[in-house]
Amino acid sequence: MELTGFTIHELQEQLKNHKTTSRELTRQVLERIKRVEPKIHAFMTVTDDAALAQAEEADQRLQSGRPVSPLTGVPIALKDNLCTKGIRTTCSSKILENFMPPYDATVVRRLKETGAVLIGKTNMDEFAMGSSTENSAFGLTANPWDVNRIPGGSSGGSASAVAADACAAALGSDTGGSIRQPAAMCGVVGLKPTYGRVSRYGLVAFASSLDQIGPITKDVTDCALMMNAIAGYDPDDSTSANLPSADYTRTLDRDLTGLRIGIPREYFIDGMDAEVLYAVKEAIRTMERLGAMTREVLLPHTEYAVATYYILATAEAGSNLARYDGVKYGFRVKPTKDLLEMYMKTRQAGFGPEVKRRIMLGTYALSSGYYDAYYRKAQCVRTLIKSDFDEAFKQADVIITPTAPTAAFKIGEKTQDPLQMYLSDIFTISVNIAGIPALSMPCGFTKTGLPIGLQIMGRPFAEETVLRTAYAYEQATEWHNRKPNL
Ligand code: GLN
């Protein structure tokens, strides 16, 4: 039986009832990767041998009658900015080309504890800076729905792999939209959890006050199952929230009667793609039919979100990336006449153009004389954006918007114009600035067959409400059952 298209919960049923083995499943997934990789290039590294060994172990656990997790034996892919002990972790950057982390990220350790099979590391925009995966130093990733188009970014490899059935599910990271936007472009589900919900220990830092790790999956149930494995307090991450973490599957099937949905006027702007607008409005009507009540809410500082983000994120990135100097990590240019020249040549040759642009922007925003004008002001606007959400969530339990203003664009279409690229995240960025959770899921297709993403935002730590809204909509629609023809 062909298993690569199965969801985690379908695989769980197969594995628990011994209808198949993790070994067989893993073998099929590795075959599938071989077949589709020449078309999509979603992976940086495929860990065949380690995966097959983990599959053997999972089979023993499944056979032994010992307690198993829904993830036991299930092949999962990891974005290449998550540290994996002894497995190359590049961030799709030349500067980390040969970096072998000496430890596992907390999320990786937790997945291993469930008995999941870790199948490989996925391609991304260099250091997670980008919206199309075209900023990878190791070649681009294609969208399985149309290989001439981008898969979104920066977690484009993870989203493309899930959509192409090259893994059952994947992890991504999201600083300004990097889980949700590629999930939208590839027609899969992606959740950015509340800041602090999932440990960032072992996630290579981009902008530490905005970064969160989260799942990219084939459906909403799988998203909840992945959250069960990765969420929760971690003393190794000082920003991790010390709150009990729920069983996210438990409340999935509560109905939507009485749920208050907020529709922010600022997200339904002129110039938005008509097919995206139509699909999102239809989705809102479906939720009303399911018993939800909708009302307009205001998020008046939305127009400042992109500018605020590009000051805060670049300032943090400039500081975080100072550590790549050729001394402690892999890549180094040599010979050089002295230490300073070694730093300069290593950074010159090791970073790609977008990363350099961000370091320069961030350094500028933090430099004396400009700090007050840019960085401090951006911090103030951040507070205003956060209070917009606090106000809106007094009147609404969830807020619904499109995930991105358009469906997947063509490869090369925006690479010459950074500002156009930055605007692909116009609907996702505020969520990171405010630290709230948000999910993207498919809500329709363009006439040319490209997926369209719906975004559901929630109050801080209200992932359960977000997931339950998504689940109800998914049960009422068929979008998640469509597969690309690769
Ligand atoms: N596209 C945004 C950026 O380039 C967000 C990236 C992300 O979330 N990692 O910064």
Side-chain angles (χ1 to χ4, degrees):
M1 187 176 13
E2 172 67 39
L3 300 162
T4 55
F6 282 32
T7 60
I8 297 174
H9 54 98
E10 287 162 354
L11 290 171
Q12 172 189 23
E13 200 265 329
Q14 296 280 321
L15 290 165
K16 272 197 183 152
N17 297 318
H18 308 294
K19 294 184 193 154
T20 189
T21 60
S22 174
R23 204 191 147 71
E24 169 59 14
L25 168 62
T26 304
R27 196 193 56 74
Q28 283 192 21
V29 169
L30 290 170
E31 272 302 306
R32 175 85 187 156
I33 292 176
K34 271 208 200 80
R35 206 150 62 77
V36 297
E37 270 297 276
K39 296 185 199 160
I40 57 170
H41 184 239
F43 284 87
M44 281 296 305
T45 306
V46 179
T47 46
D48 306 51
D49 294 341
L52 287 167
Q54 287 165 358
E56 295 281 358
E57 260 177 60
D59 282 333
Q60 280 167 19
R61 185 158 156 184
L62 285 154
Q63 237 112 58
S64 71
R66 275 189 293 144
V68 291
S69 141
L71 299 186
T72 308
V74 174
I76 309 281
L78 304 167
K79 188 175 181 178
D80 210 20
N81 60 354
L82 296 168
C83 284
T84 41
K85 185 174 179 178
I87 294 166
R88 197 167 80 112
T89 299
T90 69
C91 284
S92 294
S93 179
K94 192 162 163 49
I95 215 155
L96 286 178
E97 188 167 44
N98 298 313
F99 173 50
M100 291 283 184
Y103 67 97
D104 280 328
T106 296
V107 290
V108 174
R109 178 172 55 77
R110 289 194 176 163
L111 285 178
K112 281 185 176 169
E113 282 162 8
T114 67
V117 171
L118 303 179
I119 200 102
K121 308 293 295 285
T122 57
N123 198 18
M124 54 187 278
D125 286 298
E126 185 176 2
F127 283 104
M129 298 174 188
S131 311
S132 66
T133 315
E134 290 165 297
N135 294 338
S136 166
F138 303 105
L140 40 86
T141 293
N143 190 317
W145 295 90
D146 175 353
V147 293
N148 297 312
R149 291 179 186 267
I150 57 98
S154 64
S155 312
S158 289
S160 178
V162 173
D165 292 336
C167 58
L171 289 183
S173 69
D174 191 315
T175 306
S178 280
I179 289 174
R180 291 159 286 152
Q181 187 260 15
M185 303 287 125
C186 293
V188 291
V189 176
L191 173 68
K192 188 213 75 92
T194 311
Y195 186 80
R197 180 58 103 185
V198 175
S199 167
R200 291 181 298 111
Y201 180 73
L203 165 68
V204 179
F206 163 10
S208 312
S209 79
L210 302 160
D211 299 340
Q212 263 295 285
I213 299 166
I216 298 182
T217 55
K218 296 186 206 288
D219 70 6
V220 176
T221 306
D222 281 7
C223 189
L225 291 170
M226 289 286 279
M227 281 299 286
N228 283 355
I230 63 170
Y233 177 63
D234 177 14
D236 286 335
D237 171 1
S238 60
T239 61
S240 156
N242 197 349
L243 292 170
S245 176
D247 172 356
Y248 294 96
T249 58
R250 207 174 37 96
T251 47
L252 275 186
D253 61 1
R254 293 225 182 117
D255 71 26
L256 295 192
T257 312
L259 183 89
R260 297 173 305 162
I261 295 180
I263 318 285
R265 188 194 294 165
E266 296 80 2
Y267 282 66
F268 292 82
I269 45 178
D270 289 343
M272 202 165 91
D273 184 272
E275 290 183 292
V276 171
L277 192 63
Y278 177 80
V280 171
K281 289 198 163 155
E282 274 303 302
I284 293 168
R285 271 192 280 277
T286 302
M287 291 189 192
E288 282 172 338
R289 272 200 299 279
L290 295 171
M293 300 178 304
T294 53
R295 66 182 321 160
E296 187 175 85
V297 292
L298 296 177
L299 297 169
H301 295 94
T302 299
E303 62 173 308
Y304 306 112
V306 173
T308 303
Y309 171 84
Y310 276 94
I311 290 171
L312 298 178
T314 58
E316 294 184 31
S319 313
N320 274 325
L321 270 57
R323 72 191 71 169
Y324 306 106
D325 55 8
V327 176
K328 302 180 216 65
Y329 302 93
F331 177 77
R332 174 188 298 180
V333 170
K334 50 189 169 199
T336 48
K337 66 175 190 309
D338 56 20
L339 184 65
L340 189 64
E341 191 184 273
M342 192 278 284
Y343 287 159
M344 295 200 322
K345 289 204 163 149
T346 297
R347 287 169 69 83
Q348 163 73 37
F351 289 135
E354 183 61 27
V355 174
K356 286 180 188 155
R357 179 160 34 240
R358 306 269 178 127
I359 293 173
M360 287 189 284
L361 282 169
T363 307
Y364 185 80
L366 289 177
S367 58
S368 89
Y370 295 105
Y371 182 93
D372 286 322
Y374 295 110
Y375 185 73
R376 189 188 302 276
K377 191 175 270 173
Q379 290 288 22
C380 296
V381 181
R382 180 175 198 168
T383 304
L384 294 174
I385 291 172
K386 170 82 174 85
S387 9
D388 281 358
F389 279 104
D390 293 343
E391 278 307 307
F393 280 121
K394 286 182 185 156
Q395 295 162 44
D397 303 308
V398 293
I399 291 176
I400 291 201
T401 74
T403 307
T406 64
F409 45 91
K410 288 226 169 72
I411 290 170
E413 195 177 318
K414 299 191 183 185
T415 41
Q416 295 315 312
D417 188 347
L419 196 58
Q420 275 311 309
M421 192 68 95
Y422 296 173
L423 289 173
S424 353
D425 299 306
I426 189 158
F427 298 147
T428 47
I429 272 177
S430 299
V431 161
N432 302 72
I433 294 178
I436 60 175
L439 173 145
S440 178
M441 67 189 302
C443 70
F445 286 80
T446 65
K447 283 193 204 70
T448 51
L450 299 170
I452 297 170
L454 179 79
Q455 178 169 237
I456 306 172
M457 306 171 181
R459 295 191 187 104
F461 300 102
E463 279 85 358
E464 283 173 287
T465 312
V466 171
L467 285 163
R468 135 167 110 91
T469 309
Y471 183 80
Y473 175 71
E474 186 181 75
Q475 294 308 300
T477 52
E478 285 294 329
W479 311 118
H480 61 291
N481 293 326
R482 288 209 202 172
K483 295 267 183 197
N485 193 355
L486 240 196

